[in-house]
Amino acid sequence: ALLYAVHLGNRPLPPSDQLAFAGKILSNLHYLEHLVSDMLSFARGGSFRADDVDVSRLLTDVRDAVEAQLLRHNCVLEITDEAPHTTLRGNRAALLGALQNLVINAIQACAAGDCARDGGGAPCRLRLNARTVHEARGTFAELQVADNGPGIPEALLERIFEPFFTTRQDGTGLGLAIVQAIVNAHEGTVVVDSAAGRGTAVTLRLPLTAGTLRALEGTGTSTPALSGGWAYGRGRRAAG
């Protein structure tokens, strides 16, 4: 960013070059902002204030937060809300940040795999789904981000949540580590289902509020959880 700023200040430039350098400066500043934000979130270690978080509103907030990235990469985000009137006990800003990280990772994976380029591959399609599921240890909200990108090779699956591990030149390697820290702080789990050539689905399972649990007990509307994928949560990792 400093280099481009020096070019702008030290020599007369045509308007087109001025715009190009200004764009480079802005892009680099956004990257630095993202890097600092990731570092601060990781340093906090997943300590957050808990509130009641409306799942439907959370989905809307995610859509609004990633709209610019979707347009930039010509991606489509399909949202399915099967958990209306459902609330989580957690921190809205932290959960929004975790889901935003997952969606942006999916967008970048599709872009790297030529999903969204003109004339190349299938259109970039992402899915953000919410529902309630029942498993042996209780009933949870399930939030899933899925894409039709190139997928993750099996050899890398065990490392994707390691701090500072990244396969992108401009990646911080903290995005998924932060997602795991946030989910752990909410006493939830992360399940990753991916394979090279068939896309990736990342599923968060998070505890519900007592009021939502009572309402679900009266209606019996939760869905049995599906097994499969790599599960991460509360310091443990196991293949499903």
Side-chain angles (χ1 to χ4, degrees):
L2 288 175
L3 176 62
Y4 294 120
V6 168
H7 280 299
L8 276 176
N10 287 351
R11 65 180 67 178
L13 293 171
S16 59
D17 288 346
Q18 291 178 2
L19 288 174
F21 281 127
K24 292 287 188 180
I25 292 171
L26 187 61
S27 177
N28 279 275
L29 289 175
H30 282 160
Y31 169 73
L32 290 173
E33 180 183 36
H34 178 67
L35 177 61
V36 171
S37 176
D38 277 357
M39 293 290 287
L40 290 174
S41 294
F42 185 68
R44 280 196 292 266
S47 177
F48 307 104
R49 186 187 68 184
D51 299 301
D52 288 352
V53 180
D54 182 82
V55 170
S56 297
R57 182 184 170 190
L58 184 62
L59 298 181
T60 301
D61 290 343
V62 173
R63 181 200 63 199
D64 293 343
V66 301
E67 184 176 10
Q69 291 273 5
L70 293 168
L71 291 172
R72 177 183 175 190
H73 293 283
N74 193 29
C75 293
V76 176
L77 176 64
E78 300 172 356
I79 297 179
T80 303
D81 183 3
E82 297 180 12
H85 315 299
T86 297
T87 54
L88 303 169
R89 185 64 182 168
N91 184 277
R92 192 192 71 83
L95 293 172
L96 173 60
L99 290 169
Q100 185 177 350
N101 259 330
L102 293 178
V103 173
I104 289 175
N105 276 357
I107 291 171
Q108 291 171 341
C110 283
D114 291 335
C115 291
R117 296 182 185 175
D118 292 340
C124 175
R125 293 194 174 276
L126 315 177
R127 299 189 308 276
L128 174 59
N129 304 325
R131 63 175 187 162
T132 56
V133 298
H134 182 74
E135 56 184 40
R137 60 194 187 96
T139 302
F140 299 86
E142 182 177 275
L143 306 172
Q144 183 184 79
V145 175
D147 64 62
N148 65 336
I152 304 170
E154 186 175 358
L156 299 181
L157 272 176
E158 293 188 56
R159 301 194 61 195
I160 59 175
F161 286 95
E162 291 180 11
F164 307 108
F165 174 76
T166 180
T167 58
R168 298 198 315 272
Q169 186 176 0
D170 61 345
T172 66
L174 285 174
L176 291 177
I178 291 169
V179 170
Q180 185 180 28
I182 290 169
V183 172
N184 284 351
H186 287 79
E187 300 185 348
T189 58
V190 187
V191 178
V192 182
D193 183 15
S194 184
R198 65 173 182 87
T200 299
V202 182
T203 304
L204 313 184
R205 291 185 186 137
L206 300 162
L208 297 165
T209 60
T212 294
L213 287 172
R214 286 193 297 270
L216 288 174
E217 287 172 0
T219 60
T221 56
S222 60
T223 305
L226 300 176
S227 61
W230 284 89
Y232 303 76
R234 302 307 301 171
R236 63 182 179 81
R237 181 174 63 199

